[in-house]
Amino acid sequence: MHDIKAIRDDHAAFVAGLQRRNIADAASVAQEILDRDHGLRALLTRLQAAQARRNDASKLIGQAKAKKDEAGAAALMAEVAGLKEEIQAGEEEERKLKKELDDILAGLPNLPAGDVPDGTDENANVEVPERAWGTRPTMNAAKEHFDIGEALGLMDFERAAKVSGARFVYLKGALARLERALGAFMLDLHTDTFGYTEMMPPLMVRDDAAFGTGQLPKFEEDLFATGTSDNRLWLIPTAEVSLTNYVREEILDEASLPLRFTAWTPCFRAEAGAAGKDTRGMIRQHQFSKVELVSIATPEQSLAEHERMVDCAQEVLKRLGLHHRVMALCTGDMGFTAKKTYDIEVWLPGQNRFREISSCSNCGDFQARRMNTRFRAKDARQTRFVHTLNGSGLAVGRTLIAILENYQQPDGSVAIPDVLRPYMGGMERIAKT
């Protein structure tokens, strides 16, 4: 959510930020916000004046009666009654105008940080060369993960489609264990090495939680709903939603920040805008698992916390021996709530290309305003909004894909990275049985 005071104070900067986000009518949108804000504030001024006059008139009624001025008292009582109706009507109009203004603000994306590259789509993303790691493995006729998994007899899309439809999969045997091993390995690394607190959060959230992290109202079609309209919950598209909302409507102690949370959960996405994309395999599923990283920080901490979060996610890939690069997303490719995002892309030999495996975003105070989450420094009277950050550490299914494609062997088996073997009961490779 945007700060209306900041929009008033620096209208030009707000317009420029929206233009960088490729909102063509940014100037008119910003002007509409200011016009509605002006109308709302004018109404509030009139209501305050009417309330003050009502209070004064109420006192004068008693004085008129004490003087036995019945005509004067009657006139004042009539004025008070009229003011009461005026105030009630004005308060109703205030709620209407405030909702209309909030709806406009809630539909606008976060403004990009100054160092985010400009662009309209992923073609304008910029590689961060100093973060690249590893080299592409040399192999002939590399297969894609679904060919490998199906040949092993451990990945079944056909039966999943019978049960649930497209974009689902059954993993069996060693592949099911590999997914479990990856999740456990990632959690152990993030908690034991990087100090994140492991959480087991709710998988369903209320409207206000989905609004807080920016899924509602703009991206409702990407979510799966449960229950009825009177008792509706949303399946989380990522644990970011329930982890970030853990501190909603709270005032935190600055000394406790940054807070760092991690969770390994199923995630559910309708993929409404992905028709025809990645229809084969596990790249884009309606149900998948992910280890999420969330940080709640002060504004002064958030830049360093963002870089640290990328370090943590990259370390997973480094320990798995997977070649990858990091991209700074342009203004047209960032998510709705982000002010700056790094994507980590892993090399997939079967596809002969890099694919996203983690997205780490600094959201500034955008989500905090929607959740009303603040912090207070020691002995300070004023509170400030926290900054929120989130990232994948990593997408477990996509990491499994990367292992299948990067560790595939000429005989059709798949070698298991050394760090995962303790989680696999000492197993060194997955072969068809």
Side-chain angles (χ1 to χ4, degrees):
M1 190 73 106
H2 294 281
D3 179 5
I4 188 64
K5 185 178 183 301
I7 299 173
R8 291 186 209 122
D9 292 346
D10 199 342
H11 172 246
F14 182 68
V15 172
L18 292 181
Q19 289 172 334
R20 291 187 65 206
R21 275 291 210 162
N22 303 299
I23 296 178
D25 56 347
S28 61
V29 170
Q31 190 58 52
E32 181 182 5
I33 290 170
L34 288 180
D35 290 344
R36 288 179 179 274
D37 177 56
H38 178 75
L40 178 59
R41 287 195 293 159
L43 173 61
L44 289 173
T45 299
R46 293 196 302 272
L47 284 174
Q48 288 169 358
Q51 186 65 57
R53 175 54 190 165
R54 181 188 175 190
N55 292 340
D56 290 342
S58 296
K59 294 176 183 176
L60 292 173
I61 291 171
Q63 295 174 14
K65 286 186 176 182
K67 295 177 181 179
K68 300 190 182 304
D69 181 3
E70 296 301 330
L76 288 167
M77 290 172 67
E79 182 183 3
V80 168
L83 287 169
K84 180 180 179 181
E85 291 181 2
E86 179 185 338
I87 292 169
Q88 288 176 339
E91 289 175 342
E92 185 176 337
E93 179 67 9
E94 177 195 353
R95 287 190 290 270
K96 175 176 174 291
L97 292 178
K98 188 174 188 309
K99 183 180 185 306
E100 290 173 352
L101 179 58
D102 287 346
D103 286 347
I104 296 173
L105 292 172
L108 295 173
N110 200 353
L111 301 184
D115 60 347
V116 172
D118 291 329
T120 57
D121 56 34
E122 62 183 13
N123 294 312
N125 296 341
V126 177
E127 183 174 357
V128 184
E130 62 272 21
R131 281 193 171 275
W133 187 88
T135 57
R136 301 180 186 182
T138 301
M139 58 181 69
N140 296 320
K143 295 180 180 179
E144 293 198 54
H145 68 279
F146 45 81
D147 289 326
I148 299 168
E150 289 178 330
L152 290 170
L154 301 177
M155 188 178 290
D156 196 326
F157 297 97
E158 185 176 344
R159 285 188 172 92
K162 290 179 183 178
V163 172
S164 304
R167 300 190 187 276
F168 291 91
V169 66
Y170 279 107
L171 296 180
K172 301 190 294 183
L175 282 193
R177 183 167 186 173
L178 180 59
E179 170 125 349
R180 173 161 54 94
L182 282 166
F185 162 67
M186 293 176 194
L187 282 181
D188 286 349
L189 179 63
H190 293 313
T191 56
D192 296 343
T193 302
F194 299 125
Y196 285 84
T197 299
E198 183 176 351
M199 307 280 276
M200 187 174 287
L203 302 183
M204 296 184 288
V205 297
R206 296 164 53 183
D207 286 11
D208 54 2
F211 175 84
T213 43
Q215 283 72 34
L216 290 180
K218 194 173 181 65
F219 303 102
E220 179 176 338
E221 66 176 5
D222 292 325
L223 304 176
F224 286 112
T226 67
T228 64
S229 58
D230 294 331
N231 186 27
R232 182 176 62 181
L233 293 173
W234 302 95
L235 293 173
I236 59 169
T238 162
E240 169 203 344
V241 180
S242 38
L243 289 179
T244 308
N245 275 282
Y246 182 75
V247 294
R248 67 174 294 106
E249 300 172 352
E250 293 190 17
I251 297 176
L252 306 172
D253 182 355
E254 183 180 24
S256 70
L257 302 178
L259 298 173
R260 298 180 178 123
F261 305 132
T262 186
W264 172 27
T265 69
C267 304
F268 307 90
R269 294 185 186 172
E271 297 290 355
K277 296 181 182 178
D278 300 304
T279 53
R280 287 203 67 191
M282 290 177 57
I283 288 287
R284 204 177 295 273
Q285 297 268 282
H286 288 314
Q287 174 189 316
F288 57 97
S289 71
K290 183 156 66 82
V291 171
E292 186 73 4
L293 305 175
V294 161
S295 293
I296 312 296
T298 68
E300 293 75 21
Q301 294 167 338
S302 70
L303 293 180
E305 189 68 15
H306 193 199
E307 300 295 329
R308 181 186 189 276
M309 182 175 284
V310 179
D311 289 340
C312 296
Q314 279 194 264
E315 186 62 25
V316 178
L317 292 171
K318 291 176 181 179
R319 297 197 183 196
L320 292 172
L322 294 171
H323 173 44
H324 61 277
R325 68 181 184 183
V326 175
M327 306 293 289
L329 298 197
C330 74
T331 54
D333 199 32
M334 288 196 308
F336 179 78
T337 61
K339 65 180 291 185
K340 183 175 182 179
T341 298
Y342 292 114
D343 269 9
I344 303 174
E345 298 180 342
V346 68
W347 178 254
L348 297 183
Q351 293 194 17
N352 194 37
R353 61 181 290 199
F354 286 101
R355 295 300 300 260
E356 176 204 335
I357 198 166
S358 173
S359 190
C360 297
S361 296
N362 185 349
C363 299
D365 64 7
F366 188 82
Q367 292 177 325
R369 290 181 180 278
R370 297 167 78 104
M371 298 188 305
N372 193 24
T373 303
R374 303 167 181 260
F375 73 97
R376 179 183 283 116
K378 184 179 180 181
D379 300 326
R381 298 183 63 184
Q382 296 292 328
T383 61
R384 301 163 63 197
F385 285 104
V386 300
H387 280 198
T388 62
L389 303 96
N390 64 80
S392 307
L394 304 164
V396 177
R398 290 196 177 193
T399 310
L400 183 145
I401 288 169
I403 290 173
L404 291 182
E405 295 198 10
N406 281 275
Y407 284 88
Q408 59 183 295
Q409 304 298 307
D411 64 359
S413 65
V414 176
I416 297 174
D418 290 345
V419 293
L420 293 181
R421 291 178 183 178
Y423 295 90
M424 295 289 290
M427 189 184 302
E428 296 182 0
R429 67 178 55 229
I430 299 172
K432 187 172 183 178
T433 56

